[in-house]
Amino acid sequence: MRFQASALTCLIGAASIDSLAAFGFAGQRSSFVAAPLRMQSVAQFAPVRSTFSMLADGSGGIEELKQMAKEGNKLTLSAQKSPGLFKAGGMAVIPAAALLGAVIVPGGAIAAGAVGAVGASAGFIGKNRLDAATQAAAKPTIAQAIIDNGVDSAEVAGVISNIKETFNVQDEDFANMCEDVYKRYIIGMVKTPITMTSEMKELTNLRNALGMENLAVGEAHAAAAKEFYRQTSIFTPLEDLEDPDHPDRMSIDKFLFLSERTFCQGGETKQAFKYEMSRVAKAFNINMNEALERVAEVAEPFYQKALDSTRGKLDTDAVSADMLLRARNSLGIDELTSRDMHMSAFADEVKSLLVGADDAATARFVDGAEAREILGIDDAEAAYEISAEGTPLFQTKALAAMNEAISGDISSEAAWEQMKGRQEELLLKDAAMKDLLASMVMQAMGKPFEDTMTFANVNNEGATYDKLLDSLGAKESCRAVLQQSGWEEFADFDGKFFDPASKSSATGMLNRSDRLRLYKIFLTRSVRNSESGKELTDENYEKVKDAKRMLGITDEDEAVEFRTNFGPELQKSLNMAMFEIMGDDFTTELVENLKVIVDKTIADYKLSQDLVAEFASPIYYRAVSLINDKSPSGIPSKDSNKQLAALQELLGMSVEDTYSAHLDVFGNQYKQSVLEAMGSTGVITKEYREPLEGLRTRLGVSEEACRELYLDAMDERMKPMVEWIVLELERTMLTAEQLARKRDKDFGEDYFKSGKGADGTLGIGAKANIMTDCMNLIDFYTENDIAEEKEVGTKSIEKKVMEGDEEKTTTEEVPEYETVYPITGLESGAVTPELSELLFRQFVVGGFTTQGPQGERYEAARSKFGGIIGLDKEKQDEVTSSIGGTVYENYIGNSMKTKGKLDQQDMMFLANIQNKLDISADKGEEMLLDTQKKILKEEAAVLLRDDATPEMIKSFREKCNSMGLELVKDLGLGKGSIDELFETEISTALVNGDITIDNGDVLSEIQESLGMDPEEAEKVFLGILQKRAQGVMKRIKAEFLRGRDDNCAELILRMVRYAQFVNGEDLELNVNETNAWKTYNMYDAMDFEGQDSKVVEANKELLKTALNLNE
């Protein structure tokens, strides 16, 4: 057991020495010392001392202080004896002769004659040296004060405090002196390797006497550790310091223990404890964990003595759990360690509580409640320890009682009473009893099984059978004893003790092959031992069942053994009956007599119905084959069916059990009859339906199997029909050369777009020559009732009902069905997935382009044709939508090119297309919108690519607005494209004056129509103004340069119009002052007759601002 000290022990206060004295080991040495060491006696220094002081007289610390008190030079010793004189000498210069006299002459007085004798030649001793001598004398004086008064004295702290004043020592110096005294003291303590519990209190008293804080104590311990290790390692080899029994190693461990206790009891924080303890550990060249382990090795023996003492004083009320707690806190024993030590102590106590241990048959436990309470042992732990001691004693008695019950010497009740009484004597709990009794069963059954295997291994089946009977008897005796307990755990006795997979299985010693061998021997011997030697009697059958449960034989293994050993007899009986019944001399009485024979065989060997059915099926199959061999047409006669029915009843088979044989033998005949009934048209007419049903009954094939055969025949007939349609499709789509390559063409391409513009045929090509073949395929499928209606759920329908004279509408839940196509062109391999879509597309196009009743017939059959070739509803809708998309795209494109928009007539046409192609309203609207978007996107691309006029852009955006489409969101035009359209449309209008400050709302209308953000539109418009204004200014300067001033008038008016939009600002014109004034002066000189003078003046100011003339 190792003590794992931690910083948590710092929170535990120091316990009184009386806490340890209660257990009889206060002042004792640690028991981990191999042999006591001789300690040097120390003389008494005080006449009156407490008990603890007298114990401390033997302390190595006191001995070290005595040595310390003797240290110092003559000047120091003199200052120590007369501190008052030396203190006075600190205020004035003392003649050297006087001082030398004080040194030479003993005593406190100075001889007057000595002054003259020495003379003035001795000189003077300086004040500083006297002060140093006085302070140096204080440390030995502190040591002497502790020696004289004792560390536990109430007065020693005051005496030490007075020394500081008497010797005029500064606070810091005095604290260092106290640290030195403490360091010397602890070094002296550990020189004696034996650890005593009193030393913990001794160090605490010393610390208090010296008035040391935690920091000072830590420094003292660290310094002492370094010094002590230095002194020790000089003479002691490292290998000796690693020997736990070497005195110097014991001294180091003692130092570690006292340091750990001092830091913890001093109330250090976790971090401070770790820091201080690690310094001490490092001084001894070990790590923290090892140091704490060595501390535990010192502390645990003390606590073990406390536990031993506790056990010895349980009846005296002298100990309690609280006293143990105080002892743990004092020694620093953690909870985990103390728990282990308590359990060990209680285990020892349990042994002492066993009364009459010399006699295993009568030994019993007495109550140990007091020990449990004081040691803190809960009931479960106590029960475990008691069980550990009492189990062998109980097993001895229980096994003896169980064996007596097995041998019949005592009843099961008496055996249980003996076990129960022994349980009470040994204070065993029921939980422990249950496990023990389980082991008793395994032990009790071990001997019978061992004897059984001995005989089985030498092939002595007779003796093996007898021993198995003995084992069954032992098992029943064990069951009877345990049933007396009434415990639920033993209710399923066989499952608990004879399940091979269970840990408590009594057959665990037997492997599977041995258990099967024993069961086979027991089974066959049970039959052989009957009166006839060929019968498993009811009594023996029950024993066989018991043996099965005892040996852990599974139902599957049991069936195998019965089949192996008795199956041949059953097969012989059934074969004989089958041949007799299927012979030419069949009578009803024959069947009855044969049934008696067969039933006797089954009953004699206790054969299961599963085993009979296993042998019956192949025998019946052979009978059906015999009938088929005797039937030239392959169809059994009525007499043959009567014989089969009799055999079926004898074998105990249901009609359903016979279907498999009839299907294998007669199924092909039914399929061939279906193919023949189709005739040349491929359709089975009504006159052949009833005969086919009668044929099914005579062949004995199930309705479901016949349906599968019927579908196989239909699939066989339908496959070439589909292949022919595919070939016709290829002829309409491929050239002669392509057709010659035999379908190496990728048919996934869209063959219906002509690649030309709209030409009145909607851009779709349709070949009607395969439509007839497609309709023939649909008729074949329909008239032969191949499609099936499958219930997929329910739906609500409304019904009109009359309640009295009032008609009301009610809701009713009815089954909902969907049409299922059990055979398809895809599944048969007649068509590939790509061609199936192409074929369906062609059928849809054919129906769409055909008018009149025939077109309506095509449209009605569209979904059925898709199902027949193997396309699901989603794929059909996808193909239909793609065709609709093509129609929409071509038609709408035509209309928008010719009329610019769709009118009511166009919408009606599209609605008609939607109905013809069975396109939903939502889907049709989606297709219309997608087509419009596509066309407008293409138009936008043309506008942006070519030189579009403002009129074209206006027409385009108005068209988009009328359709409710946004250029950015719906057509996906980017910001740059929108800006370009905006600039193109307004630039010309700005130049020619169609857009002025007076009709600026036109800009807002264009901005909103294009879907531009107002701020973004303003930014773009400003850029356009700047570019146009700068272009105008450039032309004006060019005209000035060439002397064509007359050409500038219109340009200057245009500049004024541009300036009006921005109040003359932000046009960023690059013009020199000369040209600027020339431009302005020309404007100022223009004729503005008839115009508002205020407007003219305002325009002049705007022009000035634009030309930077206001700066």
Side-chain angles (χ1 to χ4, degrees):
M1 188 181 303
R2 310 286 291 179
F3 170 74
Q4 301 297 327
S6 70
L8 289 175
T9 55
C10 297
L11 302 176
I12 304 173
S16 168
I17 197 65
D18 295 336
S19 300
L20 303 177
F23 302 109
F25 63 95
Q28 290 187 9
R29 300 172 295 183
S30 173
S31 62
F32 84 101
V33 181
L37 300 177
R38 186 183 298 272
M39 297 180 61
Q40 181 179 356
S41 61
V42 180
Q44 303 295 323
F45 285 87
V48 180
R49 304 289 297 280
S50 67
T51 303
F52 188 86
S53 296
M54 288 187 284
L55 287 173
D57 286 343
S59 168
I62 294 296
E63 291 297 316
E64 191 70 18
L65 292 188
K66 288 180 180 180
Q67 181 64 31
M68 187 178 189
K70 297 176 182 180
E71 296 173 355
N73 55 35
K74 291 183 178 182
L75 184 60
T76 302
L77 295 175
S78 296
Q80 181 180 354
K81 294 176 181 179
S82 303
L85 175 61
F86 275 69
K87 183 177 181 181
M91 303 176 190
V93 178
I94 300 175
L99 182 57
L100 291 176
V103 173
I104 297 170
V105 179
I110 301 176
V115 176
V118 176
S121 61
F124 293 90
I125 297 176
K127 173 181 176 293
N128 290 339
R129 185 178 176 193
L130 295 179
D131 289 343
T134 303
Q135 292 179 6
K139 191 189 301 182
T141 306
I142 295 171
Q144 190 62 51
I146 295 172
I147 295 169
D148 293 342
N149 293 274
V151 293
D152 60 339
S153 170
E155 294 80 16
V156 67
V159 173
I160 293 174
S161 179
N162 289 335
I163 292 173
K164 173 178 174 296
E165 299 298 329
T166 302
F167 285 85
N168 192 28
V169 183
Q170 297 297 320
D171 291 345
E172 184 177 353
D173 294 335
F174 193 74
N176 292 335
M177 292 178 186
C178 290
E179 284 185 25
D180 287 343
V181 171
Y182 187 92
K183 180 182 76 172
R184 291 285 294 273
Y185 194 94
I186 191 172
I187 289 176
M189 289 181 75
V190 300
K191 285 181 178 179
T192 302
I194 300 173
T195 304
M196 302 179 67
T197 56
S198 61
E199 291 172 320
M200 294 183 292
K201 186 66 174 177
E202 190 177 337
L203 273 182
T204 301
N205 289 335
L206 176 63
R207 168 187 175 164
N208 294 336
L210 295 172
M212 297 174 66
E213 298 293 336
N214 285 349
L215 183 60
V217 172
E219 291 294 333
H221 274 262
K226 291 180 181 178
E227 178 61 23
F228 183 70
Y229 188 70
R230 184 189 66 80
Q231 296 174 7
T232 304
S233 59
I234 292 174
F235 303 103
T236 306
L238 181 61
E239 56 269 20
D240 288 343
L241 292 181
E242 294 176 351
D243 180 8
D245 295 329
H246 192 278
D248 289 341
R249 162 64 184 268
M250 293 165 60
S251 292
I252 292 175
D253 291 349
K254 177 179 179 180
F255 194 108
L256 293 169
F257 171 73
L258 292 175
S259 297
E260 189 271 344
R261 287 291 79 215
T262 298
F263 298 149
C264 285
Q265 293 174 354
E268 291 280 20
T269 64
K270 293 181 181 180
Q271 292 79 4
F273 170 82
K274 184 176 180 180
Y275 172 72
E276 298 293 1
M277 196 64 199
S278 62
R279 287 209 296 170
V280 173
K282 185 177 181 181
F284 291 118
N285 201 25
I286 60 177
N287 59 42
M288 181 75 161
N289 290 335
E290 183 180 353
L292 295 178
E293 289 177 359
R294 287 163 69 166
V295 168
E297 291 172 355
V298 176
E300 288 177 16
F302 288 115
Y303 192 63
Q304 185 60 52
K305 283 189 176 183
L307 293 176
D308 294 341
S309 177
T310 298
R311 288 183 52 217
K313 298 177 181 179
L314 287 174
D315 298 330
T316 63
D317 295 330
V319 291
S320 67
D322 289 339
M323 295 174 67
L324 283 177
L325 176 61
R326 291 196 295 273
R328 290 198 298 275
N329 291 340
S330 176
L331 295 169
I333 304 296
D334 67 20
E335 183 176 355
L336 181 62
T337 302
S338 66
R339 191 70 184 162
D340 290 341
M341 296 178 73
H342 282 208
M343 288 301 300
S344 178
F346 183 75
D348 293 337
E349 183 63 18
V350 166
K351 295 176 183 177
S352 68
L353 294 174
L354 188 62
V355 178
D358 295 337
D359 187 355
T362 60
R364 61 186 178 83
F365 282 115
V366 297
D367 186 32
E370 186 177 3
R372 290 203 303 271
E373 181 179 356
I374 292 176
L375 294 174
I377 307 299
D378 61 33
D379 291 343
E381 293 170 330
Y384 174 81
E385 295 297 338
I386 292 172
S387 175
E389 289 297 321
T391 294
L393 303 176
F394 177 81
Q395 286 177 322
T396 301
K397 181 64 178 177
L399 186 58
M402 189 71 80
N403 286 331
E404 289 180 4
I406 291 173
S407 63
D409 295 338
I410 60 175
S411 65
S412 58
E413 292 82 359
W416 176 251
E417 287 300 325
Q418 290 183 22
M419 295 180 187
K420 191 66 177 175
R422 195 64 180 133
Q423 174 192 2
E424 294 172 356
E425 291 175 351
L426 296 173
L427 303 179
L428 296 175
K429 300 293 185 181
D430 285 351
M433 276 280 289
K434 293 171 184 177
D435 292 336
L436 291 174
L437 290 175
S439 68
M440 292 301 99
V441 172
M442 288 188 283
Q443 292 182 56
M445 294 300 300
K447 184 64 167 63
F449 280 140
E450 185 178 347
D451 294 342
T452 302
M453 284 306 302
T454 299
F455 290 109
N457 288 333
V458 295
N459 297 322
N460 188 340
E461 294 187 358
T464 301
Y465 177 78
D466 294 337
K467 288 300 178 182
L468 281 172
L469 288 176
D470 293 343
S471 299
L472 286 174
K475 170 193 164 188
E476 291 306 313
S477 296
C478 292
R479 183 204 302 272
V481 172
L482 295 190
Q483 282 180 342
Q484 300 299 317
S485 68
W487 291 332
E488 184 179 350
E489 287 81 355
F490 299 143
D492 183 10
F493 186 81
D494 290 334
K496 182 173 181 62
F497 295 109
F498 295 97
D499 179 3
S502 172
K503 294 180 180 180
S504 57
S505 174
T507 58
M509 60 178 291
L510 302 176
N511 58 43
R512 183 174 182 274
S513 61
D514 287 337
R515 290 185 286 105
L516 287 174
R517 181 153 58 104
L518 294 178
Y519 179 74
K520 180 179 181 179
I521 292 172
F522 194 83
L523 176 63
T524 55
R525 277 283 170 175
S526 296
V527 172
R528 192 181 305 173
N529 290 345
S530 65
E531 184 176 347
S532 64
K534 294 184 178 181
E535 178 185 3
L536 184 59
T537 64
D538 292 343
E539 180 182 359
N540 285 344
Y541 182 63
E542 289 303 318
K543 291 179 180 179
V544 169
K545 285 291 186 184
D546 287 341
K548 174 198 171 190
R549 289 189 289 269
M550 180 179 71
L551 294 172
I553 303 300
T554 65
D555 292 341
E556 292 77 10
D557 289 335
E558 177 191 37
V560 169
E561 292 300 330
F562 269 79
R563 183 191 307 109
T564 302
N565 291 284
F566 310 130
E569 290 293 327
L570 175 63
Q571 187 170 25
K572 182 170 66 174
S573 178
L574 293 177
N575 271 329
M576 181 271 297
M578 184 270 291
F579 283 114
E580 289 291 338
I581 291 173
M582 303 312 295
D584 296 334
D585 194 10
F586 170 78
T587 65
T588 304
E589 290 75 11
L590 172 66
V591 177
E592 293 175 354
N593 293 331
L594 290 173
K595 183 171 177 56
V596 171
I597 296 173
V598 171
D599 288 347
K600 184 177 186 307
T601 302
I602 295 171
D604 284 348
Y605 293 104
K606 303 297 186 292
L607 303 178
S608 67
Q609 288 302 313
D610 290 340
L611 183 60
V612 174
E614 184 180 339
F615 279 90
S617 293
I619 289 174
Y620 185 83
Y621 188 95
R622 186 174 182 185
V624 174
S625 299
L626 291 175
I627 293 297
N628 184 52
D629 293 341
K630 293 191 298 183
S631 303
S633 64
I635 301 175
S637 64
K638 292 183 178 180
D639 290 339
S640 297
N641 279 331
K642 186 176 181 181
Q643 290 174 294
L644 288 173
L647 178 62
Q648 168 198 329
E649 182 180 357
L650 182 138
L651 295 175
M653 298 175 68
S654 65
V655 175
E656 289 75 15
D657 294 335
T658 66
Y659 282 154
S660 176
H662 284 262
L663 176 62
D664 287 347
V665 176
F666 300 126
N668 191 58
Q669 180 60 42
Y670 181 82
K671 178 181 177 180
Q672 188 62 34
S673 299
V674 172
L675 290 171
E676 292 173 358
M678 291 184 196
S680 60
T681 63
V683 175
I684 300 178
T685 59
K686 185 177 181 180
E687 60 184 292
Y688 289 109
R689 295 293 177 90
E690 291 183 6
L692 280 176
E693 178 61 23
L695 176 63
R696 183 192 73 77
T697 304
R698 287 183 61 182
L699 295 177
V701 182
S702 69
E703 187 174 350
E704 293 78 9
C706 279
R707 176 64 179 173
E708 291 299 322
L709 293 169
Y710 180 84
L711 293 176
D712 286 345
M714 292 296 165
D715 187 55
E716 187 175 320
R717 187 63 178 267
M718 187 183 80
K719 184 175 181 180
M721 296 175 67
V722 177
E723 290 175 340
W724 172 258
I725 295 173
V726 172
L727 181 59
E728 288 297 305
L729 177 66
E730 290 174 340
R731 289 175 179 173
T732 64
M733 290 297 164
L734 303 179
T735 64
E737 181 182 354
Q738 289 173 327
L739 189 60
R741 294 183 200 157
K742 293 292 188 181
R743 308 180 186 181
D744 289 334
K745 175 70 178 176
D746 179 5
F747 290 100
E749 298 178 8
D750 185 357
Y751 289 95
F752 300 102
K753 290 187 179 180
S754 64
K756 303 177 182 179
D759 56 6
T761 63
L762 309 181
I764 298 175
K767 302 296 183 181
N769 57 337
I770 65 171
M771 297 301 290
T772 301
D773 293 328
C774 292
M775 292 305 299
N776 289 338
L777 175 64
I778 295 171
D779 292 340
F780 167 82
Y781 212 93
T782 303
E783 294 178 22
N784 284 318
D785 294 328
I786 299 175
E788 300 172 355
E789 295 297 316
K790 179 182 178 182
E791 185 175 344
V792 294
T794 60
K795 63 180 179 179
S796 299
I797 62 170
E798 292 184 349
K799 293 178 61 178
K800 302 285 187 181
V801 296
M802 297 296 298
E803 291 187 4
D805 296 333
E806 184 180 359
E807 184 181 69
K808 292 186 176 180
T809 302
T810 62
T811 302
E812 180 181 355
E813 291 290 324
V814 296
E816 184 175 9
Y817 297 91
E818 71 174 7
T819 302
V820 177
Y821 299 89
I823 58 174
T824 65
L826 275 174
E827 291 179 353
S828 67
V831 61
T832 64
E834 293 82 3
L835 277 174
S836 66
E837 292 184 33
L838 188 61
L839 184 58
F840 180 71
R841 185 185 296 270
Q842 186 67 35
F843 187 85
V844 175
V845 171
F848 175 71
T849 56
T850 303
Q851 304 298 321
Q854 188 67 14
E856 294 176 359
R857 183 167 177 252
Y858 291 159
E859 292 173 15
R862 181 172 54 235
S863 61
K864 183 173 291 187
F865 180 73
I868 291 172
I869 62 177
L871 299 181
D872 56 28
K873 184 69 168 58
E874 291 183 2
K875 182 59 70 175
Q876 292 181 42
D877 290 343
E878 180 183 331
V879 172
T880 304
S881 296
S882 69
I883 296 174
T886 302
V887 174
Y888 271 49
E889 183 177 339
N890 283 279
Y891 185 82
I892 294 172
N894 243 353
S895 297
M896 292 185 70
K897 285 180 181 179
T898 56
K899 295 182 288 187
K901 62 180 181 178
L902 299 180
D903 57 21
Q904 185 66 27
Q905 182 179 357
D906 295 327
M907 299 304 295
M908 291 177 63
F909 179 81
L910 292 176
N912 183 49
I913 297 298
Q914 181 179 316
N915 293 332
K916 288 177 72 66
L917 294 178
D918 195 22
I919 299 173
S920 67
D922 291 341
K923 185 65 177 177
E925 184 177 348
E926 179 185 341
M927 291 167 59
L928 173 61
L929 186 60
D930 289 344
T931 302
Q932 289 175 330
K933 288 180 182 179
K934 181 178 179 181
I935 293 172
L936 290 174
K937 284 180 182 178
E938 293 173 354
E939 187 174 342
V942 173
L943 291 175
L944 293 169
R945 184 178 63 248
D946 300 336
D947 294 330
T949 65
E951 292 74 16
M952 294 170 61
I953 295 174
K954 180 179 180 181
S955 174
F956 171 73
R957 62 179 175 79
E958 288 178 348
K959 186 188 303 180
C960 293
N961 296 155
S962 67
M963 296 180 183
L965 299 176
E966 298 180 16
L967 278 70
V968 175
K969 181 180 178 181
D970 296 319
L971 301 188
L973 297 184
K975 176 181 174 299
S977 299
I978 297 295
D979 292 349
E980 183 178 346
L981 294 176
F982 181 73
E983 181 176 356
T984 301
E985 185 171 355
I986 70 170
S987 292
T988 303
L990 276 174
V991 172
N992 59 30
D994 292 338
I995 296 179
T996 65
I997 190 65
D998 296 325
N999 63 351
D1001 55 342
V1002 175
L1003 292 173
S1004 299
E1005 186 270 330
I1006 296 174
Q1007 166 249 313
E1008 292 176 359
S1009 178
L1010 291 175
M1012 298 179 70
D1013 181 74
E1015 294 182 359
E1016 180 64 24
E1018 289 181 9
K1019 183 178 179 182
V1020 174
F1021 182 66
L1022 177 60
I1024 295 171
L1025 283 176
Q1026 290 174 341
K1027 183 167 64 173
R1028 292 295 175 183
Q1030 291 164 7
V1032 168
M1033 194 67 241
K1034 185 177 181 181
R1035 286 184 60 189
I1036 290 173
K1037 288 191 291 183
E1039 295 296 334
F1040 284 164
L1041 182 64
R1042 289 165 176 76
R1044 296 194 292 260
D1045 296 0
D1046 294 342
N1047 293 342
C1048 296
E1050 178 59 32
L1051 295 175
I1052 295 172
L1053 290 175
R1054 193 185 305 173
M1055 177 72 74
V1056 171
R1057 287 202 308 273
Y1058 294 162
Q1060 289 173 342
F1061 285 102
V1062 291
N1063 291 325
E1065 302 174 350
D1066 301 324
L1067 292 181
E1068 300 180 0
L1069 299 179
N1070 183 17
V1071 55
N1072 58 41
E1073 188 174 358
T1074 301
N1075 286 333
W1077 279 112
K1078 186 173 182 180
T1079 302
Y1080 176 77
N1081 291 331
M1082 286 188 67
Y1083 182 74
D1084 184 56
M1086 288 183 185
D1087 183 11
F1088 296 108
E1089 184 178 355
Q1091 297 186 28
D1092 189 338
S1093 60
K1094 293 181 179 180
V1095 173
V1096 172
E1097 290 301 320
N1099 288 340
K1100 290 179 181 179
E1101 291 299 319
L1102 289 176
L1103 183 58
K1104 269 188 178 183
T1105 302
L1107 295 172
N1108 303 317
L1109 295 176
N1110 287 331
E1111 297 180 356

